[in-house]
Amino acid sequence: MTLSISYAQEAVVNENSEPILTEKDSILETSTIAELRVIDTVKIDTTLLAGQTIALIDHVEVSEFDKKWLESWKNNVIDSSLIIKPEDTIGKVVIENFTTEQLKERIAYLDSQTPFNFEYNPSLEKIIKHYLKNRQQTLANLMGKAKYYFPMFEEHLAKYDIPMELKYLAIVESALKANATSRVGAKGLWQFMYGTGKEYDLKVSSYVDERSDPIKATEAACQYLSKLHGIFNDWDLALAAYNSGPGNVNKAIRRSGGQKNYWNIRHYLPRETAGYLPAFYATYYIFEYADEHQLYAKNDILNTFETDTIVVKRQISFEQVNNILGTDMELLTFLNPQYKLKIIPVVKGRDYTLTLPKFISGSFVSNEAQIYAYAEAEDAKREKPLPKYFEANDRIRYKVKSGDYLGKIANKYGVSVSSIKRWNGLKSNNLRVGQRLTIYPRRAIATSNSQPNKAKTTVKKPAPKGKYATYVVKKGDSLWLISQKYPQVSVAQLKEWNDIWSTKSLKPGTKLKIY
């Protein structure tokens, strides 16, 4: 993945670090009264929005502070093996002279450095050599992504006193793809199923899937891995349980006659789990001995410390951020993979953040008020309302209707047929009308059949009481343009006071109440 970053600076700065107005700022020179609006605690000068042009402020001195701070970090990168040197290239990996004895010696050394049971066996050698021969480009790209993710993982692993080697587990789970989804519905870098994610406070809504949030999902993974290690007191078994569930590991231990070494119970585990730890160990080995095999990171994106997060105060889309700051949509998506619609919502009681490259984040903070005003103006033009925010239900009871079949129901809720059968103890695919099924949805559903006889009602806010002015809509009017004629009146208020939720309702001659 090759991502480019551009920086937009609209204002010219003089020697005293004061903005000088350019031609497209001329509207500001003629404005004598600044019209202010308040979003949360941020005051917005709406005159800066004339002609959809925003003159971005650049605090030059603070930008210099940022540069010095980032430079100090670059000199102390956590994992120096991931630093990209200009002379580094992807060369041909030579494995002809890579002997079994060399591999045994290296594995023995790694085993002495880790709490895992890292043992040589012919099948592991076969996997390692297969990766080296056939996955050179994939490994190089993974090393580039690791430059961004590994410091983040290491911080959380250290917090929970978990072996640092477990950062390689995310490669086996998701190939470091934050939006990776398995065939059974597991999601994110650490591949959480909906139910397990819910247990560790990873929320799923119509706008956000926190299983794809790199920081929150890593925190949850560390908690889950700590819990599993507390059960088995063995990291190999903990990893096997992470993949297949503690129940399958316990059954494998019983079937092996009570053996508790992963390699002794491996053949009693599900097929996928039997190959899980060898893949983890192969990845661990290759990353630790990348230089010896002439493997170097490729397509690196950013260091974690080169980014910053901002708690948003108003709903804003990636497109709006990109339009103002001149960022890159692919970059925004990579840094903020948890937002399913590429829109960051604002929900009471939640702090949703926008992650940006450090220098762009400085520009965002310096121009926050104008950016929110621009977003509000753009949203006012939207003919089709955005989807409502709602969270996925933890569990629902579904009543089978005429024409239903398991595949149809499974697709509706983003689950598998086998899962529905398991949750309900079904031995066949036959259903009967009126039958109730327990379902743990992995796709956000606004309503459920748990109370089919109760109609869903919407509580509407009462209109303000008191005097109001009447505005007659003219040709070419928009809600945003009308709001500019009345200080302290927002587009949202106009919609609420007049029950207007679509611009199609705004026709010439329509009378609007202004309180």
Side-chain angles (χ1 to χ4, degrees), residues 271-302:
R271 183 176 179 180
E272 179 185 340
T273 308
Y276 186 69
L277 247 69
F280 168 74
Y281 283 130
T283 304
Y284 175 27
Y285 167 82
I286 289 171
F287 269 69
E288 292 295 319
Y289 284 94
D291 286 345
E292 285 77 0
H293 293 288
Q294 303 172 39
L295 278 172
Y296 304 99
K298 182 181 179 184
N299 293 336
D300 61 308
I301 300 166
L302 286 171

Side-chain angles (χ1 to χ4, degrees), residues 149-168:
Y149 284 121
F150 276 8
M152 184 189 305
F153 297 165
E154 289 169 350
E155 180 181 351
H156 287 81
L157 292 169
K159 174 182 174 182
Y160 287 91
D161 196 23
I162 293 175
M164 288 294 171
E165 295 88 339
L166 279 171
K167 63 189 177 185
Y168 300 119

Side-chain angles (χ1 to χ4, degrees), residues 395-439:
R395 186 188 76 164
I396 67 164
R397 291 285 287 167
Y398 181 82
K399 185 177 181 180
V400 177
K401 300 185 291 291
S402 178
D404 275 345
Y405 54 91
L406 283 178
K408 180 180 178 181
I409 298 169
N411 183 62
K412 179 178 180 180
Y413 292 100
V415 299
S416 65
V417 170
S418 60
S419 294
I420 295 178
K421 292 174 72 174
R422 185 175 70 253
W423 295 329
N424 295 276
L426 302 178
K427 295 183 179 179
S428 72
N429 292 337
N430 298 328
L431 298 175
R432 66 179 185 278
V433 175
Q435 181 179 359
R436 294 188 180 276
L437 301 175
T438 296
I439 298 176

Side-chain angles (χ1 to χ4, degrees), residues 162-456:
I162 293 175
M164 288 294 171
E165 295 88 339
L166 279 171
K167 63 189 177 185
Y168 300 119
L169 184 64
I171 293 177
V172 179
E173 286 286 345
S174 65
L176 297 183
K177 294 178 181 178
N179 277 316
T181 304
S182 76
R183 57 182 175 80
V184 295
K187 182 112 179 178
L189 290 165
W190 298 95
Q191 289 291 281
F192 275 99
M193 298 291 284
Y194 174 79
T196 310
K198 190 82 173 178
E199 182 182 349
Y200 289 93
D201 202 32
L202 296 178
K203 295 178 173 59
V204 179
S205 73
S206 49
Y207 278 73
V208 187
D209 191 334
E210 292 184 346
R211 295 176 298 169
S212 292
D213 185 313
I215 294 177
K216 290 182 179 179
T218 300
E219 177 78 10
C222 289
Q223 292 177 10
Y224 188 30
L225 286 165
S226 292
K227 180 179 179 179
L228 292 172
H229 184 260
I231 293 172
F232 295 102
N233 197 32
D234 180 278
W235 280 113
D236 289 317
L237 297 182
L239 290 193
Y242 188 92
N243 178 253
S244 65
N248 281 322
V249 174
N250 287 333
K251 284 184 282 188
I253 292 173
R254 287 189 173 97
R255 287 167 179 160
S256 70
Q259 298 286 331
K260 295 181 181 178
N261 182 294
Y262 168 81
W263 299 103
N264 293 334
I265 71 169
R266 180 186 175 198
H267 297 295
Y268 298 99
L269 289 167
R271 183 176 179 180
E272 179 185 340
T273 308
Y276 186 69
L277 247 69
F280 168 74
Y281 283 130
T283 304
Y284 175 27
Y285 167 82
I286 289 171
F287 269 69
E288 292 295 319
Y289 284 94
D291 286 345
E292 285 77 0
H293 293 288
Q294 303 172 39
L295 278 172
Y296 304 99
K298 182 181 179 184
N299 293 336
D300 61 308
I301 300 166
L302 286 171
N303 286 297
T304 307
F305 60 79
E306 293 177 304
T307 64
D308 199 2
T309 57
I310 301 158
V311 177
V312 299
K313 299 181 177 68
R314 188 211 181 277
Q315 181 169 289
I316 192 167
S317 70
F318 290 5
E319 183 180 9
Q320 289 163 349
V321 173
N322 184 48
N323 287 344
I324 297 171
L325 299 179
T327 56
D328 181 287
M329 190 63 74
E330 193 176 0
L331 177 67
L332 286 176
T333 302
F334 175 81
L335 294 177
N336 302 274
Q338 64 270 36
Y339 299 113
K340 297 157 70 172
L341 304 179
K342 294 183 172 56
I343 295 172
I344 307 170
V346 171
V347 180
K348 187 176 181 180
R350 303 277 174 81
D351 287 335
Y352 288 124
T353 60
L354 171 65
T355 300
L356 292 168
K358 185 67 181 176
F359 292 119
I360 294 180
S361 70
S363 186
F364 187 101
V365 172
S366 294
N367 299 276
E368 196 167 14
Q370 286 70 42
I371 290 171
Y372 291 146
Y374 172 79
E376 182 173 354
E378 288 295 300
D379 287 348
K381 298 177 185 176
R382 190 185 298 275
E383 290 190 13
K384 186 177 180 180
L386 290 168
K388 292 183 179 179
Y389 177 94
F390 53 82
E391 292 188 6
N393 301 293
D394 186 10
R395 186 188 76 164
I396 67 164
R397 291 285 287 167
Y398 181 82
K399 185 177 181 180
V400 177
K401 300 185 291 291
S402 178
D404 275 345
Y405 54 91
L406 283 178
K408 180 180 178 181
I409 298 169
N411 183 62
K412 179 178 180 180
Y413 292 100
V415 299
S416 65
V417 170
S418 60
S419 294
I420 295 178
K421 292 174 72 174
R422 185 175 70 253
W423 295 329
N424 295 276
L426 302 178
K427 295 183 179 179
S428 72
N429 292 337
N430 298 328
L431 298 175
R432 66 179 185 278
V433 175
Q435 181 179 359
R436 294 188 180 276
L437 301 175
T438 296
I439 298 176
Y440 295 86
R442 299 191 187 103
R443 181 175 296 147
I445 303 296
T447 60
S448 75
N449 290 21
S450 57
Q451 295 176 307
N453 296 324
K454 291 186 179 181
K456 187 177 179 182

